[in-house]
Amino acid sequence: MALRVRFAPSPSGYLHIGGARTALFNWLWARKNGGTFILRVEDTDQERSSIESVRAILDALRWLGLEWDEGPEVGGGKGPYFQSERRALYRELGEQLVREGKAYRCDLTKEELDQLRADFKAKNPKGEFVYKGPYRECTDPSKPHVIRFRTPRDGSTDFADKVFGHISTPNSEQPDFVLMRSDGFPLYNFAAVVDDHAMDITLVARGRDHVGNTPQQVLLYRAFGWTPPDFAHLPLMLASSGEKLSKRNASVAVHEYRDRGYTPMGVLNYLSRFGWSYGDQEIFSREELVRLFDWERVGRSDGKFDEKKFADVAFEHLKRPELTPPSDYVSSVTPFVAARGIERPDQARIAAALPLIRDRAHSLVEAADLLDFYLREPPVLDDAARPLLTPAAAPHLEAVRKLVADAGSFVASDLEAAFKAWLEASGIKMKDVAQPVRVALSGRKASPGLFDVMVVLGRETTLARLDRAIQLCRGS
RNA sequence: GGCCCCAUCGUCUAGCGGUUAGGACAUCGGCCUCUCACGCCGGUAACGCGGGUUCGAUUCCCGCUGGGGUCGCCA
């Protein structure tokens, strides 16, 4: 049977990097094997689901380039892809299990259950309440009720996990879990099983926090007489604090990294190496990831997200032209440049300056900052740089101005040669003249090499900036 | 607390019986140098503990300890 995997988020918050990793591994597996990657929205909880979250998740996935073959806004032959639109199916199958005696109606109310929990908690402050039944089976279907699964009392439920191997759980541990809520909406375990089966999912890959659900789901597959899919659980990505990643924690939201100027592959590369490895290799292109990914190389222990390592991996992608081609870099950084108030940034000049900022910009936000003075006339003069434009610096700038004006060819090596010759002849030290010139050209105390900057600016602009600096020196 | 799972530098990890336990990030030195970077060189830094199995355990088994997950009419 053709490989079909899915990513099934609940639209109750942003897509965070942990969820993005789950989506990535599914996507990689599908792409590697020519399978189908399905996106399904698990919006059965009307209280917590929101259309904004659906939007946010779709946008984040698209930005990362994890395009889905079937799902919202794409369609497919196994829809609908929103669980809220599949209620009739769940209801029908729930009734079927009741008819077959594999499930039953229970009219114990939520309040009564809460009371039981509270009572238990009062007596056993340490332990956690576990009520496995028997629940109150109701005979009057017109009364509000849920449908519970009639869980076997003994034996155990096993499944093979592609990452963790064989996992066995005693059935005595499982409660008579709820399939259908009293409001007619299905609960996670039930809806997931029904949909995974209906959508012909062949492998369910999700976070390790779902291993406890798997036995219940396997029990459901058996009750229906369906063959369970394969399972693969991923070790958890914890926050750097060691706590579980939260959907409400905006700082780990995918869109946050986009806004901070990281590229999709920067994010994906870091995520790919979290729980998966390929020898000592750290940096991968998207194509390499698709080719090399394998469940065999997925680890089993949880890890903590590391901001520094993440930033470095992202930087590596920005730094290497083979990973981020110039044209991609220019189009990616342009919006960040524009956000600084530079209207219709000169793309050609950005491209020209690119080699000078590539190994200096750790993010597109930084890149836009480093690009600023090439694109703004006059350049912004930093407060910290202003003091370098002293009357004493004026003569040096005058001399440099002449050199630039007289230079035959306007290429870095020739400019540097002429510069060195002048220093030689005058006995002036490079250290003493470089900083004023740098401030004149860039308005900053730090910049790429002077001659490279001049070439990007062009002779005319270089002269204009030197002139302006000379005026400022005299004025101070 | 029950059940399930995990355990190599601070962090992400390589290792699949015999290695000076490797790489990357971080960190600390140094080099390069017109500034800032990049780059390069080098240092500090790990197999949780106790039993086995074996000629030999980081590696296999058991226990302990530690950590995590889960125990909802959330997903």
Side-chain angles (χ1 to χ4, degrees), chain A residues 277 313 321 329 462:
Chain A
S277 62
V313 171
Y329 202 127
T462 299

Side-chain angles (χ1 to χ4, degrees), chain A residues 32-44:
Chain A
K32 179 192 175 88
N33 298 290
T36 306
F37 177 59
I38 297 148
L39 177 62
R40 181 175 73 223
V41 179
E42 309 223 320
D43 58 346
T44 55

Side-chain angles (χ1 to χ4, degrees), chain A residues 317-326 358:
Chain A
H317 276 264
L318 285 178
K319 208 162 45 180
R320 303 189 193 180
E322 71 273 24
L323 257 18
T324 308
R358 252 213 147 92

Side-chain angles (χ1 to χ4, degrees), chain A residues 17-187:
Chain A
I17 50 178
R21 185 187 62 146
T22 301
L24 170 66
F25 282 25
N26 275 289
W27 183 87
L28 287 174
W29 192 237
R31 290 292 171 272
K32 179 192 175 88
N33 298 290
T36 306
F37 177 59
I38 297 148
L39 177 62
R40 181 175 73 223
V41 179
E42 309 223 320
D43 58 346
T44 55
D45 188 334
Q46 298 292 286
E47 299 279 304
R48 305 180 202 207
S49 300
S50 74
I51 190 68
E52 292 75 23
S53 289
V54 173
R55 185 73 268 148
I57 291 167
L58 264 49
D59 287 349
L61 249 19
R62 285 219 173 93
W63 178 72
L64 288 170
L66 303 180
E67 302 287 343
W68 51 99
D69 306 307
E70 292 179 24
E73 299 179 353
V74 167
K78 307 284 183 181
Y81 296 92
F82 283 85
Q83 291 189 322
S84 57
E85 296 171 18
R86 304 171 70 87
R87 293 177 60 194
L89 215 211
Y90 309 127
R91 195 190 317 266
E92 182 189 320
L93 289 169
E95 291 299 329
Q96 179 189 318
L97 288 181
V98 171
R99 279 199 306 279
E100 295 173 352
K102 294 169 178 166
Y104 60 93
R105 299 173 207 287
C106 168
D107 61 5
L108 206 59
T109 65
K110 186 156 194 338
E111 289 66 34
E112 288 172 311
L113 244 16
D114 286 344
Q115 188 58 51
L116 286 172
R117 284 197 186 85
D119 292 348
F120 181 89
K121 203 71 183 169
K123 274 186 258 182
N124 312 49
K126 286 181 209 150
E128 190 62 39
F129 173 80
V130 184
Y131 182 67
K132 303 192 187 74
Y135 289 86
R136 187 198 300 150
E137 190 165 347
C138 79
T139 46
D140 179 5
S142 68
K143 279 176 66 178
H145 64 273
V146 300
I147 292 178
R148 284 182 187 278
F149 186 70
R150 209 184 291 281
T151 302
R153 290 273 293 154
D154 35 48
S156 63
T157 302
D158 302 10
F159 67 94
D161 190 282
K162 289 185 100 65
V163 174
F164 289 95
H166 184 87
I167 294 179
S168 179
T169 309
N171 288 335
S172 57
E173 275 304 304
Q174 311 294 357
D176 280 358
F177 54 95
V178 175
L179 268 26
M180 296 290 288
R181 316 203 300 190
S182 51
D183 65 4
F185 278 86
L187 238 47

Side-chain angles (χ1 to χ4, degrees), chain A residues 100 336 359 376:
Chain A
E100 295 173 352
F336 289 92
D359 51 20
R376 203 188 289 274

Side-chain angles (χ1 to χ4, degrees), chain A residues 185-460:
Chain A
F185 278 86
L187 238 47
Y188 170 72
N189 275 327
F190 186 53
V193 165
V194 168
D195 287 354
D196 285 337
H197 176 261
M199 294 178 180
D200 291 330
I201 300 299
T202 57
L203 168 69
V204 170
R206 71 242 287 201
R208 190 174 65 77
D209 47 341
H210 285 286
V211 290
N213 288 318
T214 311
Q216 297 183 6
Q217 298 188 3
V218 169
L219 250 17
L220 277 170
Y221 280 102
R222 292 202 189 129
F224 281 119
W226 299 335
T227 304
D230 288 336
F231 293 98
H233 289 91
L234 272 32
L236 259 24
M237 176 181 287
L238 275 11
S240 53
S241 61
E243 295 170 325
K244 199 179 172 186
L245 240 37
S246 165
K247 280 195 169 188
R248 284 158 290 281
N249 184 180
S251 71
V252 293
V254 169
H255 69 80
E256 188 69 22
Y257 292 99
R258 178 195 59 202
D259 295 347
R260 282 164 54 188
Y262 293 111
T263 58
M265 270 317 293
V267 175
L268 258 23
N269 192 153
Y270 176 78
L271 260 26
S272 74
R273 281 282 286 105
F274 201 101
W276 173 83
S277 62
Y278 190 74
D280 285 340
Q281 189 172 347
E282 301 273 353
I283 305 302
F284 302 84
S285 67
R286 189 180 293 263
E287 293 68 33
E288 283 181 298
L289 248 23
V290 168
R291 178 158 45 84
L292 303 173
F293 178 78
D294 196 338
W295 295 105
E296 294 290 312
R297 293 176 170 280
V298 174
R300 287 176 299 278
S301 45
D302 296 341
K304 296 175 188 168
F305 176 74
D306 183 43
E307 188 76 45
K308 292 247 181 66
K309 176 78 172 183
F310 169 82
D312 182 73
V313 171
F315 177 39
E316 211 60 46
H317 276 264
L318 285 178
K319 208 162 45 180
R320 303 189 193 180
E322 71 273 24
L323 257 18
T324 308
S327 57
D328 288 359
Y329 202 127
V330 172
S331 56
S332 299
V333 78
T334 297
F336 289 92
V337 171
R340 300 175 65 85
I342 297 172
E343 288 174 37
R344 299 177 59 240
D346 182 343
Q347 307 260 310
R349 180 160 283 191
I350 291 177
L354 194 52
L356 307 188
I357 65 155
R358 252 213 147 92
D359 51 20
R360 289 178 170 78
H362 291 249
S363 70
L364 294 172
V365 169
E366 279 186 28
D369 174 56
L370 295 176
L371 247 13
D372 195 283
F373 73 80
Y374 298 96
L375 306 165
R376 203 188 289 274
E377 215 62 55
V380 175
L381 181 60
D382 280 1
D383 289 343
R386 179 69 182 80
L388 299 205
L389 263 21
T390 60
H396 288 158
L397 293 179
E398 294 272 19
V400 172
R401 188 202 189 286
K402 185 166 182 351
L403 280 174
V404 170
D406 295 346
S409 61
F410 210 70
V411 296
S413 56
D414 290 353
L415 284 167
E416 180 163 17
F419 209 88
K420 288 279 162 60
W422 165 62
L423 291 175
E424 191 78 22
S426 61
I428 297 171
K429 289 280 190 295
M430 182 63 170
K431 308 178 49 141
D432 299 323
V433 53
Q435 283 306 75
V437 174
R438 186 182 316 288
V439 174
L441 299 179
S442 69
R444 304 180 178 199
K445 290 172 72 175
S447 82
L450 260 23
F451 311 107
D452 291 324
V453 171
M454 288 181 186
V455 170
V456 171
L457 292 176
R459 193 197 305 262
E460 205 175 310

